[in-house]
């Protein structure tokens, strides 16, 4: 009988399976010194099982529930209502009822209770139970407590909970409900405390919301709350709300809303001293659980009681350091146009590839720029280069620098790091330099493909770790860096001088259309050529529309024109099969592994273009650039000192057109090498699965490269580590990384400081001149891109894996990006108006709306429906 109820003081956080998540947390809270929790007990999952086993034909009904389709709303509604009625109608078994009544008596005979459901989270690791947390307040008398325990049990079968389990493949029989019964408290005030700022994520700032009466009204959003922000035991911001109602206990049981007398409506619910005291209690709870908490509290006779505490799941994690110093981090993903979470193998390979140490947090990488900002000699150059590339990062860093004590200040003569792009690039404008670099890169990739073939086991891992050094050497070749820097500096020179001399905005955008040797833009045009091969064969086109299997290439051979179609796609994959969306993460599926990813883009091209579109498009861009060059030089010659200005400008145009294409090649060669590594590592993973070391090949993605080396050497793996990493990765996927992050956890958002915009315009960074109007297609997954001529692509971020879509659109809007990121470079080359760095673009613009993209001045307007 004792297992049917447990006193709250007997419970801790290890007992979730017995008492559910809410009760386990409260039991743990009651063990923290100085933290008061209302007295209570838990009706355990054993009691639930004991009660349900007596219910007539319960098993059959749960089986019928399990067979429902998650989208069959009517079926779920009627079947779940039936199960709820049965559970609520169960006569609580005598032994269970006796245990509950005895525990109620120990709380105090006539005491009012709060009865709350506390679901086991064993089916939903790390999740609240689909929001199904029923609470009944001011329950009076043992009979009423028993009735509400049955109601809590029944809440396991609400439509929402049932649908959640069906969608996620959880067994209704494996989920159990515990119930928490506590002595009811009648507070003067109640509310919520976040021990980290839920808006900025700053761990040093706590946020308190408070209202009169019971906290349920505030949590459910029925009443306004006072809001406080506290840092270092000091209230740094306060907003007192007009509080017209409070939720109070009703004498007959339950609760009722009461009007607050006008004289008290604008009084604060807490004094500043009480707020500071509450935050101190919150810090104690946070220290106990080891992470920021979302805490529900109430105030009774100037004493705080805690009625709930759970982790704040929306905060972005902080890179780990052990020096106790302040740090400022810049997001790598925002530079790479890939802000998705990466798996450990991908993170570790990228860290080995880059010359600068990178911190890790939330499945993303960050560069610690504290020293760059601290040194006066490097600070100005760094802010200038970053600000040109991504004004929001530049502004966020300036915001941090304005705060006292965040960034240490080094003396003026402290050694400064060199900032790429600041010193002029010393190099002659010679096309042979680019062809030489391309030749070197191709030879280097061919050599690694040849040399890796015979390697396996520890020798393979040794080979890859050694070859990463060769990858770094080619990626950061000083000649390559000079070429990229020269192209960037020439672009800036043209934009600044031609604006000063002729009033031209972003002139370089037109001048860089259809430059030679841009491997990413060639990739998009080549897919138009593939579409040309497929278009005449109606049977092939129809077949490709219905494909959902990766083996489709071999099936093409039996169709008229199928052999030619297969050969064209295979040739494309031979050249570009190492690419994909999110390609800096080696674990992401490549087009060569998943060729179906290309089909939506190929079919879009088949439907939207005439034969020969690739050649015509490239030539049109070349002609436009050439025409613009002649026009600008002519206008310059008419100015004072015109010949000199025209000559300097011509020199810079040649420099931009000669060197800009190379910008895309280093990454192409890096990703080519990554794919060579990946195929070899997956072959090794297959061997480990056959040997019974790994459960499945993909487990290698959740190990760092160095850890995988150990697994291959010892033939042993820590399955628990792999499982934890998988779980962490899933939680990271839901987070949005900040552009700038401090070691206090604050996500610092920059702003565009501009006042020259039309009313209601969405501001961004202009990266490709021209203006266009069209239908917005909001696309978050390339595979779901359904584009028609004239569409404007609106998405979160684009890396080279998105580039083949660019031939099918007339404009581009992204939430992430800078002047020299891939999307911007390709948009300019194709002559597409583009605005990047538009915060929340995919939420502010609805799919199908007409929009105007001003890629010259950097803003987007949503047009009225016609």
């Amino acid at each position: 009988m004792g297992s049917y109820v447990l006193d709250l003081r007997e419970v801790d956080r290890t007992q979730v399976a017995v008492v559910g998540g809410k009760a386990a947390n409260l039991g743990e809270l009651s063990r923290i010194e100085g933290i008061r929790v209302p007295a209570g007990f838990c009706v355990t999952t054993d009691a639930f099982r004991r009660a349900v086993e007596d219910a007539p034909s319960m098993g059959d009904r749960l089986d019928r529930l399990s067979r429902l389709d998650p989208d069959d709303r009517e079926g779920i509604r009627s079947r779940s209502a039936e199960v709820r009625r049965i559970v609520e109608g169960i006569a609580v078994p005598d032994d269970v009822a006796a245990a509950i009544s005895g525990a109620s008596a120990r709380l105090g005979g006539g005491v009012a209770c709060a009865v709350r459901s506390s679901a086991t989270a064993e089916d939903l690791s790390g999740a609240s139970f689909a929001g199904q947390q029923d609470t009944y307040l001011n329950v009076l008398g043992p009979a009423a407590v028993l009735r509400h325990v049955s109601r809590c049990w029944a809440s396991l079968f609400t439509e929402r909970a049932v649908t959640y389990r069906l969608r996620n493949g959880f067994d209704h029989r494996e989920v159990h409900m515990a119930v928490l019964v506590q002595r009811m408290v009648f507070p003067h005030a109640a509310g919520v405390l976040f021990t980290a700022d839920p808006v900025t994520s700053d761990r040093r700032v706590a946020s308190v919301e408070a209202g009169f009466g019971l906290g349920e009204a505030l949590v459910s959003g029925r009443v306004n709350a006072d809001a406080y922000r506290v840092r270092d035991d000091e209230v740094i911001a306060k907003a007192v709300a007009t509080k017209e109602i409070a939720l109070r206990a009703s004498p007959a049981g339950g609760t009722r809303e009461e009007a607050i007398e006008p004289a008290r409506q604008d009084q604060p619910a807490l004094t500043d001293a009480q707020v500071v005291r509450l935050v101190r209690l919150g810090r104690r709870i946070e220290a106990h659980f080891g992470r920021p908490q979302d805490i529900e509290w109430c105030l009774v006779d100037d004493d705080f009681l805690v009625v709930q505490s759970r982790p704040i799941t929306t905060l972005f994690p902080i890179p780990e350091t052990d020096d106790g110093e302040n740090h400022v981090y810049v997001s790598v993903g925002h530079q790479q146009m890939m802000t998705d979470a990466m798996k450990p193998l991908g993170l570790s390979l990228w860290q080995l590839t880059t010359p600068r140490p990178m911190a890790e947090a939330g499945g993303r990488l960050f560069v610690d720029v504290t020293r760059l900002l601290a040194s006066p000699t490097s600070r100005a150059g760094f802010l200038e280069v970053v600000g040109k590339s991504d004004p929001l990062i530049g502004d966020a860093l300036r915001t941090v620098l304005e705060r006292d004590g965040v960034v240490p200040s080094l003396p003026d003569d402290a050694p400064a790091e060199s900032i790429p792009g600041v010193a002029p690039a010393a190099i002659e404008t010679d096309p042979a330099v680019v062809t030489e670099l391309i030749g070197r890169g191709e030879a280097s990739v061919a050599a690694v493909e040849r040399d890796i073939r015979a390697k396996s086991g520890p020798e393979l891992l040794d080979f890859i770790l050694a070859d990463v050094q060769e990858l770094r050497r080619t990626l950061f070749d000083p000649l390559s860096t000079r070429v990229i820097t020269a192209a960037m500096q020439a672009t800036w020179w043209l934009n600044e001088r031609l604006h000063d001399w002729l009033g031209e905005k972003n002139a370089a955008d037109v001048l860089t259309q259809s430059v030679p040797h841009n491997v990413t833009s060639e990739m998009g045009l080549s897919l138009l050529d593939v579409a040309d091969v497929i278009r005449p064969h109606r049977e092939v086109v129809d077949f490709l529309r219905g494909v959902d299997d990766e083996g489709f290439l071999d099936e093409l051979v039996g169709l008229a024109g199928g052999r030619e179609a297969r050969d064209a796609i295979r040739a494309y994959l031979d050249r570009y099969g190492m690419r994909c969306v999110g390609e800096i993460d080696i674990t992401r599926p490549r087009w060569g592994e998943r060729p179906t990813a290309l089909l939506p883009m190929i079919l879009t091209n088949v439907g939207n273009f005439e034969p020969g579109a690739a050649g015509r498009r490239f030539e049109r861009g070349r002609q436009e650039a050439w025409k613009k060059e002649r026009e600008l030089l002519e206008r310059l010659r008419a100015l004072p000192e015109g010949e000199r200005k025209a000559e300097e400008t011509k020199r810079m145009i040649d420099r931009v057109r000669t060197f800009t294409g190379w910008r895309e090649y280093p990454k192409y060669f890096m990703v080519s090498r990554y794919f060579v590594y990946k195929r070899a590592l997956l072959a090794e993973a297959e061997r480990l699965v056959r040997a019974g070391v790994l459960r499945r090949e993909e487990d290698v993605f959740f190990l760092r490269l160095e850890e995988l080396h150990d697994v291959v050497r010892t033939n042993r793996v820590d399955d628990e580590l792999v499982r934890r990493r998988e779980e962490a990765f899933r939680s990271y996927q839901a987070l949005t990384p900040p552009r700038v992050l401090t070691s206090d956890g604050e996500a610092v958002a920059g702003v565009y400081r501009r006042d020259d915009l039309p009313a209601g315009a969405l501001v961004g960074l202009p990266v490709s001149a021209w203006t266009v109007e069209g239908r917005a297609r909001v696309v978050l997954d390339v595979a779901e891109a359904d584009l028609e001529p004239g569409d404007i692509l609106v998405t979160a971020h684009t890396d080279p894996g998105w580039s083949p879509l660019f031939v099918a659109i007339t404009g581009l809007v992204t939430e992430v990006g800078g002047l020299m990121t891939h999307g911007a470079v390709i948009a300019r080359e194709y002559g597409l108006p583009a605005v990047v760095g538009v915060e929340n673009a995919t939420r502010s613009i609805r799919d199908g709306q007409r929009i105007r993209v001003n890629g010259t001045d950097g803003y987007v307007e949503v047009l009225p429906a016609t």
Side-chain angles (χ1 to χ4, degrees):
M1 187 177 94
S3 61
Y4 294 148
V5 298
L6 285 174
D7 189 282
L8 203 48
R9 288 168 299 192
E10 298 174 67
V11 170
D12 64 28
R13 59 181 146 180
T14 65
Q15 291 166 280
V16 172
V18 179
V19 298
K22 180 173 284 200
N25 254 9
L26 274 174
E28 187 72 31
L29 280 166
S30 66
R31 291 160 177 262
I32 305 172
E33 195 180 333
I35 303 300
R36 288 190 57 206
V37 172
F41 63 89
C42 311
V43 182
T44 66
T45 51
D46 288 340
F48 171 77
R49 276 191 290 268
R50 168 81 179 82
V52 170
E53 74 188 16
D54 286 351
S57 59
M58 191 67 170
D60 291 346
R61 286 190 164 86
L62 291 183
D63 288 342
R64 284 206 292 277
L65 212 51
S66 298
R67 287 195 290 271
L68 289 171
D69 185 295
D71 295 316
D72 178 4
R73 292 177 62 180
E74 191 45 55
I76 291 171
R77 182 178 297 130
S78 60
R79 292 268 166 86
S80 61
E82 185 188 340
V83 174
R84 276 199 311 281
R85 273 197 306 277
I86 289 169
V87 175
E88 278 196 42
I90 291 171
V92 178
D94 290 346
D95 48 353
V96 175
I100 294 172
S101 300
S104 297
R106 285 192 292 279
L107 273 186
V111 74
C113 292
V115 182
R116 293 183 163 94
S117 59
S118 180
T120 58
E122 58 203 13
D123 60 324
L124 308 175
S125 185
S128 68
F129 192 69
Q132 307 306 315
Q133 299 288 351
D134 283 22
T135 293
Y136 301 100
L137 299 178
N138 199 30
V139 176
L140 303 174
V145 168
L146 277 178
R147 199 164 57 249
H148 286 88
V149 166
S150 295
R151 281 190 185 170
C152 285
W153 288 340
S155 72
L156 201 49
F157 300 101
T158 60
E159 287 168 51
R160 191 169 153 203
V162 167
T163 305
Y164 188 96
R165 291 197 291 274
L166 287 172
R167 280 200 197 290
N168 291 285
F170 297 120
D171 186 344
H172 298 299
R173 291 168 178 266
E174 296 302 311
V175 189
H176 305 298
M177 180 66 84
V179 180
L180 176 63
V181 180
Q182 282 176 287
R183 184 177 289 161
M184 184 74 192
V185 291
F186 303 100
H188 160 74
V192 182
L193 156 65
F194 294 95
T195 63
D197 189 320
V199 178
T200 68
S201 296
D202 190 338
R203 299 336 192 245
R204 287 178 59 204
V205 174
S207 169
V208 174
E209 292 186 353
F212 292 124
L214 292 163
E216 261 66 19
L218 186 144
V219 173
S220 65
R222 278 185 283 171
V223 298
N224 295 333
D226 300 341
Y228 303 82
R229 294 172 78 241
V230 177
R231 184 172 57 226
D232 299 334
D233 283 351
E234 187 187 343
V235 176
I236 56 169
K238 172 164 80 172
V240 177
T242 300
K243 298 171 285 297
E244 295 177 355
I245 58 165
L247 197 66
R248 306 273 189 208
S250 168
T255 58
R256 65 179 184 199
E257 285 183 5
E258 266 181 23
I260 295 171
E261 55 273 23
R264 280 187 67 225
Q265 287 180 2
D266 293 317
Q267 294 285 312
L270 297 177
T271 65
D272 285 11
Q274 286 172 327
V275 171
V276 168
R277 184 152 55 90
L278 173 62
V279 169
R280 281 189 193 144
L281 291 175
R283 292 278 176 235
R284 196 176 291 180
I285 294 169
E286 176 184 69
H288 181 84
F289 286 111
R291 55 190 293 194
Q293 298 287 303
D294 162 1
I295 297 165
E296 291 174 31
W297 55 270
C298 44
L299 180 69
V300 182
D301 300 329
D302 198 34
D303 220 348
F304 286 104
L305 282 86
V306 176
V307 291
Q308 177 63 295
S309 187
R310 53 187 163 253
I312 308 175
T313 54
T314 54
L315 298 178
F316 200 83
I318 309 172
E320 285 180 24
T321 56
D322 54 10
D323 58 8
E325 302 288 322
N326 285 344
H327 294 266
V328 181
Y329 303 96
V330 169
S331 159
V332 173
H334 284 79
Q335 317 295 310
Q336 291 296 329
M337 294 292 274
M338 207 293 275
T339 56
D340 297 346
M342 291 168 69
K343 292 175 185 153
L345 186 67
L347 290 167
S348 67
L349 184 58
W350 186 246
Q351 283 168 307
L352 289 169
T353 304
T354 63
R356 185 182 274 280
M358 288 188 176
E360 218 175 285
R364 278 80 168 186
L365 294 171
F366 293 84
V367 175
D368 186 341
V369 297
T370 320
R371 272 196 75 80
L372 284 170
L373 294 172
S375 160
T377 39
S378 60
R379 183 189 304 143
F382 176 59
L383 288 173
E384 184 189 1
V385 171
V386 168
K388 274 179 178 162
S389 172
D390 187 328
L392 290 177
I393 291 180
D395 187 72
L397 292 173
R398 286 188 175 88
T399 302
V400 172
L401 280 167
E402 283 164 10
R403 298 181 185 162
D404 288 342
V406 175
V407 177
S409 203
L410 295 175
D412 287 1
D413 56 357
E417 288 187 51
S418 64
I419 311 297
V422 173
I427 189 169
E428 286 298 309
T429 303
D430 180 359
V433 172
V434 175
T435 50
E436 184 199 331
L437 283 168
I438 293 171
R440 276 193 217 170
E442 286 171 343
S444 183
V445 172
V448 73
E449 277 188 311
R450 184 186 65 239
D451 296 344
I452 206 169
R453 282 188 193 129
K455 306 282 190 286
S456 66
E459 192 189 5
L460 169 65
L461 273 294
D462 288 337
F463 175 85
I464 291 174
L465 287 164
D467 191 73
V468 169
Q469 300 310 312
E470 173 64 13
L471 164 58
R472 286 175 63 149
R473 197 187 60 70
T474 58
L475 203 51
F476 304 105
D477 179 323
L479 182 60
S480 166
T481 305
R482 286 204 299 278
V483 168
I484 292 168
T485 305
M488 274 177 15
Q489 290 174 341
T491 301
W492 296 337
W493 189 97
L494 286 167
N495 284 339
E496 285 163 14
R497 297 301 163 88
L498 294 175
H499 186 259
D500 289 347
W501 293 338
L502 298 174
E504 282 276 335
K505 284 183 179 174
N506 306 344
D509 294 359
V510 187
L511 297 167
T512 49
Q513 289 186 89
S514 299
V515 298
H517 302 307
N518 185 321
V519 69
T520 309
S521 61
E522 286 165 9
M523 176 173 78
L525 296 174
S526 295
L527 208 58
L528 287 172
D529 293 336
V530 173
D532 286 355
V533 174
I534 291 168
R535 192 179 293 107
H537 306 295
R538 176 51 45 201
E539 205 181 336
V540 171
V541 174
D542 289 343
F543 169 76
L544 292 178
R545 286 210 171 98
V547 160
D548 57 6
D549 180 80
E550 297 302 341
F552 74 92
L553 285 171
D554 294 328
E555 295 172 40
L556 278 169
V557 183
L559 306 175
R563 193 173 294 275
E564 296 91 322
R566 182 198 64 183
D567 292 349
I569 295 172
R570 280 221 172 123
Y572 186 86
L573 291 172
D574 286 345
R575 176 92 167 109
Y576 303 112
M578 78 296 285
R579 309 221 84 156
C580 67
V581 170
E583 64 188 11
I584 65 170
D585 181 355
I586 191 177
T587 72
R588 296 284 277 258
R590 311 281 132 182
W591 293 338
E593 297 170 300
R594 198 176 285 174
T596 52
L598 288 174
L599 294 182
M601 296 187 262
I602 291 173
L603 290 167
T604 292
N605 292 347
V606 165
N608 290 351
F609 293 94
E610 296 294 317
R616 283 194 304 277
R617 178 157 200 157
F618 187 81
E619 187 52 31
R620 186 175 70 233
R622 213 168 60 82
Q623 292 293 338
E624 281 183 20
W626 183 62
K627 200 167 82 191
K628 187 70 177 175
E629 177 182 323
R630 278 187 315 171
E631 175 224 312
L632 290 169
L633 296 178
E634 210 171 285
R635 286 166 61 197
L636 285 170
R637 288 190 186 102
L639 298 176
E641 295 187 77
E643 274 309 321
R644 177 186 62 80
K645 287 173 178 168
E647 201 177 297
E648 284 181 12
T649 301
K650 171 65 176 150
R651 210 165 48 243
M652 287 299 177
I653 292 172
D654 289 348
R655 202 165 173 79
V656 160
R657 290 195 63 79
T658 302
F659 288 150
T660 291
W662 171 252
R663 162 76 178 77
E664 293 292 301
Y665 256 108
K667 192 172 196 181
Y668 171 76
F669 288 134
M670 181 194 84
V671 171
S672 300
R673 226 177 184 93
Y674 274 14
F675 195 30
V676 175
Y677 299 161
K678 183 179 188 181
R679 282 183 298 209
L681 289 171
L682 283 175
E684 194 58 32
E686 197 183 327
R687 183 190 70 74
L688 290 166
V689 170
R690 282 200 307 272
V693 178
L694 294 179
R695 288 170 306 154
R696 48 193 192 134
E697 288 168 36
E698 297 79 47
D699 283 1
V700 297
F701 296 159
F702 294 97
L703 297 168
R704 302 180 72 79
L705 201 56
E706 306 87 327
E707 293 167 343
L708 183 53
H709 195 287
D710 289 340
V711 170
V712 169
R713 197 170 42 77
T714 62
N715 272 333
R716 285 214 307 277
V717 72
D718 181 346
D719 281 327
E720 181 57 28
L721 174 73
V722 170
R723 196 190 60 73
R724 279 202 313 274
R725 294 255 180 92
E726 258 190 284
E727 207 169 281
F729 174 72
R730 273 200 298 275
S731 71
Y732 296 154
Q733 284 178 299
L735 300 175
T736 302
R739 281 179 166 81
V740 171
L741 180 67
T742 72
S743 45
D744 289 328
E746 185 182 1
V748 188
V751 294
Y752 295 102
R753 302 192 183 274
R754 292 175 51 188
D755 50 15
D756 57 344
L757 301 172
L762 305 171
V763 63
L765 178 65
V767 295
S768 186
W770 305 283
T771 297
V772 69
E773 290 182 15
R775 178 178 69 157
R777 293 317 312 250
V778 180
V779 179
L780 299 177
D781 180 351
V782 168
E784 288 163 16
D786 178 17
L787 299 167
E788 291 175 15
D791 282 349
I792 296 168
L793 175 63
V794 179
T795 189
H797 46 75
T798 63
D799 65 357
W802 287 75
S803 301
L805 279 185
F806 286 20
V807 298
I809 57 175
T810 56
L812 174 69
V813 179
T814 68
E815 295 178 344
V816 172
L819 204 55
M820 294 308 292
T821 46
H822 301 272
V825 172
I826 306 306
R828 289 194 287 274
E829 178 142 342
Y830 285 167
L832 288 176
V835 180
V836 302
V838 180
E839 291 279 71
N840 299 317
T842 57
R843 292 195 286 277
S844 306
I845 299 167
R846 287 198 311 279
D847 187 57
Q849 282 184 318
R850 281 194 68 74
I851 60 173
R852 180 185 298 126
V853 177
N854 188 321
T856 307
D857 292 319
Y859 61 84
V860 181
E861 294 172 280
V862 176
L863 302 174
T866 49

